[in-house]
Amino acid sequence: IDWQGYSITKPSFEGVKVFVDYNLKDLVERIDWTPFFRSWELAGSFPKILEDKVVGESATKLYQDAQVMLEKIITEKWLIAKAVLGFFPANSVDYDDIEVYEDPSRQTVKCKLHHLRQQNHRNSDRPNYSLADFIAPKETGVKDYIGTFAVTAGIGIEKHIARFEADHDDYSSIMLKALADRLAEAFAERMHELVRKELWGYAASENFNNAELIKDKYQGIRPAPGYPACPDHTEKQTLWSLLEPEENIGLSLTESFAMY
């Protein structure tokens, strides 16, 4: 990349912003339903699965039940969605690392993110990437930034799960967990959309439908710790030091770095 000729859009703010009790109704249109059916061991992509010769009838009944519960979740406020978002000055260093700076002067390193480079043996000229490649190297003098966020749509779920389990209603318990999972993923999708179009604003004119968003047609990346782009779960600890999700939105890390 010719970083010297590269235009970097500055985020609308630097530091941390908290979103409390985000409107669940705003997340429904961003739900990716295909993984919902997989959680019930029904194979097929949405909406085609509803007309599938083998599982279509079961999938349709499941989807209808999900809509009924989703309406209750929203109108009766069974769940609360919260998010914490941060923009920070950053530059890549030592090929695979990213320095995150304390303030705009970039004199003090707040923390360092460590990223693994792809290890594939390729038969072409395609490079082996590291996430650090997407941030301007420090030696270029280009002032780059990194965005981080954590979301939850599970605040308040425990009492409803306990209610269903007390009634031996496993179906409703599993349904609620599956819908909370879908709402959390939809919230991540929505938050990233707000980042691109408004909060960072580097793609202000973006206009994609939900199917296009699910296929990652947008500009930019949203890697998540534990997934192939950054497989080391322990990097979440560094992100937690930046965003303080436990204090800000009640989202904690377990000993094995799962988010709860």
Side-chain angles (χ1 to χ4, degrees):
I1 296 175
D2 178 14
W3 287 105
Q4 296 299 333
Y6 199 79
S7 177
I8 301 292
T9 301
K10 187 176 181 180
S12 62
F13 67 91
E14 293 180 30
V16 172
K17 181 179 179 67
V18 178
F19 297 79
V20 179
D21 198 6
Y22 193 87
N23 187 358
L24 292 177
K25 191 177 293 187
D26 189 41
L27 305 181
V28 173
E29 64 177 314
R30 290 285 171 256
I31 291 178
D32 179 3
W33 285 102
T34 296
F36 169 80
F37 293 102
R38 289 177 188 158
S39 68
W40 294 90
E41 299 185 355
L42 295 178
S45 60
F46 181 82
K48 291 181 180 179
I49 192 173
L50 302 180
E51 300 176 359
D52 187 89
K53 293 180 180 179
V54 178
V55 301
E57 185 176 347
S58 298
T60 298
K61 175 65 166 59
L62 195 64
Y63 183 65
Q64 290 171 344
D65 289 347
Q67 300 311 303
V68 172
M69 181 176 282
L70 189 57
E71 180 66 22
K72 288 183 179 180
I73 289 172
I74 294 172
T75 58
E76 299 177 16
K77 297 204 67 137
W78 287 9
L79 303 175
I80 295 175
K82 297 183 179 183
V84 57
L85 165 76
F87 295 127
F88 305 96
N91 283 109
S92 63
V93 295
D94 302 326
Y95 298 104
D96 293 336
D97 296 337
I98 298 172
E99 284 185 347
V100 181
Y101 302 110
E102 189 74 45
D103 54 51
S105 72
R106 300 171 183 255
Q107 297 302 307
T108 304
V109 176
K110 188 179 184 72
C111 66
K112 185 180 286 189
L113 295 166
H114 306 283
H115 294 293
L116 298 175
R117 186 165 294 279
Q118 292 173 322
Q119 302 297 303
N120 312 54
H121 291 286
R122 303 188 188 277
N123 295 322
S124 66
D125 293 331
R126 291 173 57 204
N128 283 14
Y129 285 114
S130 162
L131 287 182
D133 296 334
F134 294 86
I135 304 286
K138 187 175 184 178
E139 63 268 20
T140 65
V142 176
K143 295 181 178 181
D144 210 344
Y145 302 86
I146 191 169
T148 61
F149 65 77
V151 304
T152 176
I155 304 297
I157 196 173
E158 289 88 354
K159 64 180 180 181
H160 298 287
I161 296 298
R163 173 165 58 90
F164 290 134
E165 292 181 350
D167 292 338
H168 305 288
D169 187 355
D170 293 339
Y171 179 74
S172 294
S173 177
I174 296 170
M175 177 70 75
L176 179 55
K177 292 174 184 177
L179 288 173
D181 173 74
R182 290 297 86 211
L183 285 169
E185 292 289 348
F187 197 9
E189 193 72 73
R190 177 61 175 144
M191 186 58 60
H192 193 197
E193 181 180 31
L194 288 172
V195 166
R196 297 190 305 271
K197 296 172 71 173
E198 299 176 25
L199 301 174
W200 196 329
Y202 60 79
S205 60
E206 174 191 299
N207 185 27
F208 293 119
N209 60 37
N210 199 43
E212 291 170 324
L213 291 174
I214 290 171
K215 292 180 179 179
D216 299 340
K217 296 291 186 179
Y218 48 74
Q219 178 186 344
I221 57 174
R222 188 175 80 242
Y227 286 84
C230 43
D232 188 354
H233 283 274
T234 63
E235 284 298 290
K236 290 178 190 169
Q237 212 161 26
T238 306
L239 294 173
W240 245 244
S241 70
L242 284 171
L243 296 173
E244 299 184 321
E246 188 158 6
E247 294 81 1
N248 285 319
I249 62 172
L251 184 62
S252 59
L253 288 177
T254 67
E255 290 183 357
S256 57
F257 300 100
M259 292 185 287
Y260 181 78

Coordinates of all heavy atoms in Angstrom, one line a residue, residues 118-151:
Q118 N -1.0 -15.2 8.6 CA -1.4 -16.4 8.0 C -0.2 -17.3 7.7 O 0.8 -16.8 7.3 CB -2.2 -16.1 6.7 CG -3.5 -15.4 6.9 CD -4.2 -15.0 5.6 OE1 -3.5 -14.5 4.7 NE2 -5.5 -15.1 5.5
Q119 N -0.4 -18.6 7.9 CA 0.7 -19.6 7.7 C 0.6 -20.5 6.5 O 1.4 -21.4 6.3 CB 0.7 -20.5 9.0 CG 0.9 -19.7 10.3 CD 2.2 -18.9 10.3 OE1 3.3 -19.5 10.2 NE2 2.2 -17.6 10.5
N120 N -0.5 -20.2 5.7 CA -0.7 -21.0 4.5 C 0.5 -21.0 3.5 O 1.1 -20.0 3.3 CB -1.9 -20.5 3.7 CG -3.1 -20.2 4.6 OD1 -3.0 -19.5 5.5 ND2 -4.3 -20.8 4.3
H121 N 0.7 -22.2 2.9 CA 1.7 -22.3 1.8 C 0.9 -22.0 0.6 O 0.1 -22.8 0.2 CB 2.4 -23.6 1.8 CG 3.3 -23.9 3.0 ND1 4.5 -23.2 3.1 CD2 3.2 -24.6 4.1 CE1 5.1 -23.6 4.2 NE2 4.3 -24.4 4.9
R122 N 1.2 -21.0 -0.1 CA 0.4 -20.6 -1.3 C 1.2 -20.9 -2.6 O 2.4 -20.8 -2.6 CB 0.0 -19.1 -1.3 CG -0.7 -18.7 0.0 CD -1.2 -17.3 -0.1 NE -1.8 -16.8 1.1 CZ -3.1 -17.0 1.4 NH1 -3.9 -17.7 0.7 NH2 -3.6 -16.4 2.6
N123 N 0.5 -21.3 -3.6 CA 1.1 -21.5 -4.9 C 1.0 -20.3 -5.8 O 1.1 -20.5 -7.0 CB 0.4 -22.8 -5.6 CG 0.6 -24.0 -4.8 OD1 1.7 -24.2 -4.2 ND2 -0.4 -24.9 -4.7
S124 N 0.6 -19.2 -5.3 CA 0.4 -18.0 -6.1 C 1.2 -16.8 -5.4 O 1.9 -17.0 -4.4 CB -1.0 -17.7 -6.3 OG -1.6 -17.3 -5.0
D125 N 0.9 -15.6 -5.9 CA 1.6 -14.4 -5.4 C 0.7 -13.8 -4.3 O 1.1 -12.7 -3.8 CB 1.8 -13.4 -6.5 CG 2.8 -13.9 -7.5 OD1 3.7 -14.7 -7.1 OD2 2.8 -13.5 -8.7
R126 N -0.4 -14.5 -3.9 CA -1.2 -13.9 -2.8 C -0.4 -13.9 -1.5 O 0.2 -14.9 -1.1 CB -2.5 -14.8 -2.6 CG -3.4 -14.7 -3.8 CD -4.6 -15.7 -3.6 NE -5.3 -15.5 -2.3 CZ -5.9 -16.5 -1.7 NH1 -6.0 -17.7 -2.2 NH2 -6.6 -16.2 -0.6
P127 N -0.5 -12.8 -0.8 CA 0.3 -12.6 0.4 C -0.3 -13.3 1.6 O -1.5 -13.7 1.6 CB 0.3 -11.1 0.7 CG -0.9 -10.6 0.1 CD -1.2 -11.5 -1.1
N128 N 0.5 -13.6 2.6 CA 0.0 -14.1 3.9 C -0.3 -12.9 4.8 O 0.7 -12.2 5.2 CB 1.0 -15.0 4.6 CG 0.9 -16.4 3.9 OD1 0.4 -16.6 2.9 ND2 1.6 -17.4 4.6
Y129 N -1.5 -12.6 5.1 CA -1.9 -11.4 5.8 C -1.8 -11.5 7.3 O -2.0 -12.6 7.9 CB -3.3 -11.0 5.4 CG -3.5 -10.3 4.1 CD1 -4.2 -11.0 3.1 CD2 -2.9 -9.1 3.8 CE1 -4.3 -10.4 1.8 CE2 -3.0 -8.5 2.5 CZ -3.7 -9.2 1.5 OH -3.9 -8.6 0.3
S130 N -1.6 -10.4 8.0 CA -1.8 -10.2 9.4 C -2.8 -9.0 9.5 O -2.8 -8.1 8.7 CB -0.5 -9.9 10.1 OG -0.7 -9.3 11.4
L131 N -3.6 -9.0 10.6 CA -4.4 -7.8 10.8 C -3.7 -6.5 10.9 O -4.2 -5.5 10.6 CB -5.3 -8.0 12.1 CG -6.4 -9.1 11.9 CD1 -7.2 -9.1 13.2 CD2 -7.4 -8.7 10.8
A132 N -2.4 -6.6 11.3 CA -1.6 -5.4 11.4 C -1.3 -4.8 10.0 O -1.1 -3.6 9.9 CB -0.2 -5.8 12.0
D133 N -1.5 -5.6 8.9 CA -1.3 -5.0 7.6 C -2.4 -4.0 7.3 O -2.2 -3.2 6.3 CB -1.4 -6.1 6.5 CG -0.3 -7.1 6.7 OD1 0.8 -6.8 7.2 OD2 -0.5 -8.3 6.3
F134 N -3.5 -3.9 8.0 CA -4.6 -3.0 7.7 C -4.5 -1.7 8.4 O -5.4 -0.8 8.3 CB -5.9 -3.7 8.0 CG -6.2 -4.9 7.1 CD1 -5.8 -6.2 7.5 CD2 -7.0 -4.7 6.0 CE1 -6.0 -7.3 6.6 CE2 -7.2 -5.8 5.1 CZ -6.7 -7.1 5.5
I135 N -3.4 -1.5 9.2 CA -3.1 -0.3 9.9 C -1.8 0.3 9.4 O -0.9 -0.4 9.2 CB -3.0 -0.6 11.5 CG1 -4.3 -1.3 12.0 CG2 -2.8 0.7 12.2 CD1 -5.5 -0.4 12.1
A136 N -1.8 1.6 9.2 CA -0.6 2.2 8.6 C 0.6 2.0 9.6 O 0.5 2.2 10.8 CB -0.9 3.7 8.5
P137 N 1.7 1.6 9.0 CA 3.0 1.4 9.8 C 3.4 2.7 10.4 O 3.3 3.8 9.8 CB 4.0 0.9 8.7 CG 3.2 0.3 7.6 CD 1.9 1.2 7.6
K138 N 4.0 2.6 11.6 CA 4.4 3.8 12.3 C 5.4 4.6 11.6 O 5.4 5.9 11.6 CB 5.0 3.3 13.7 CG 5.3 4.5 14.7 CD 5.7 3.9 16.0 CE 6.0 5.0 17.0 NZ 6.3 4.4 18.4
E139 N 6.3 3.9 10.9 CA 7.4 4.6 10.2 C 6.9 5.5 9.0 O 7.7 6.4 8.6 CB 8.5 3.6 9.7 CG 8.0 2.6 8.7 CD 7.5 1.3 9.3 OE1 7.2 1.4 10.5 OE2 7.5 0.3 8.6
T140 N 5.7 5.3 8.6 CA 5.2 6.1 7.5 C 4.8 7.5 7.9 O 4.7 8.4 7.1 CB 3.9 5.5 6.8 OG1 2.9 5.4 7.8 CG2 4.3 4.1 6.3
G141 N 4.6 7.7 9.2 CA 4.1 9.0 9.7 C 2.6 9.2 9.5 O 2.1 10.3 9.9
V142 N 1.9 8.3 8.9 CA 0.5 8.4 8.7 C -0.2 8.1 10.0 O 0.0 7.1 10.7 CB 0.0 7.4 7.6 CG1 -1.5 7.5 7.5 CG2 0.7 7.7 6.3
K143 N -1.1 9.0 10.4 CA -1.9 8.9 11.7 C -3.1 8.1 11.4 O -4.1 8.6 10.9 CB -2.2 10.3 12.2 CG -1.0 11.1 12.6 CD -1.4 12.4 13.2 CE -0.2 13.2 13.7 NZ -0.5 14.5 14.3
D144 N -3.1 6.8 11.8 CA -4.2 5.9 11.6 C -4.9 5.7 12.9 O -4.5 6.2 14.0 CB -3.7 4.6 11.0 CG -4.7 3.9 10.1 OD1 -5.9 4.3 10.2 OD2 -4.3 3.0 9.4
Y145 N -6.0 4.9 12.8 CA -6.9 4.7 14.0 C -7.4 3.2 14.0 O -7.3 2.5 13.0 CB -8.1 5.6 14.0 CG -7.7 7.1 14.0 CD1 -7.5 7.7 12.8 CD2 -7.6 7.8 15.2 CE1 -7.1 9.1 12.8 CE2 -7.2 9.1 15.2 CZ -7.0 9.8 14.0 OH -6.6 11.1 14.0
I146 N -7.8 2.8 15.1 CA -8.5 1.5 15.2 C -9.8 1.6 16.0 O -9.9 2.4 16.9 CB -7.5 0.4 15.9 CG1 -8.1 -1.0 15.8 CG2 -7.3 0.8 17.4 CD1 -7.1 -2.1 16.2
G147 N -10.8 0.9 15.6 CA -12.0 0.9 16.2 C -12.3 -0.5 16.9 O -11.9 -1.5 16.4
T148 N -12.8 -0.4 18.1 CA -13.1 -1.7 18.8 C -14.5 -1.5 19.5 O -14.9 -0.4 19.9 CB -12.1 -1.9 20.0 OG1 -12.2 -0.8 20.9 CG2 -10.7 -2.0 19.4
F149 N -15.2 -2.6 19.5 CA -16.5 -2.6 20.3 C -16.9 -4.0 20.8 O -16.4 -5.0 20.3 CB -17.6 -2.0 19.5 CG -18.1 -2.7 18.2 CD1 -18.9 -3.9 18.4 CD2 -17.8 -2.3 17.0 CE1 -19.3 -4.6 17.2 CE2 -18.2 -3.0 15.8 CZ -19.0 -4.1 16.0
A150 N -17.7 -4.0 21.8 CA -18.3 -5.2 22.4 C -19.8 -4.9 22.6 O -20.2 -3.9 23.0 CB -17.6 -5.5 23.7
V151 N -20.6 -6.0 22.3 CA -22.0 -5.8 22.4 C -22.6 -7.0 23.2 O -22.0 -8.1 23.2 CB -22.7 -5.7 21.1 CG1 -22.2 -4.6 20.2 CG2 -22.6 -7.0 20.3

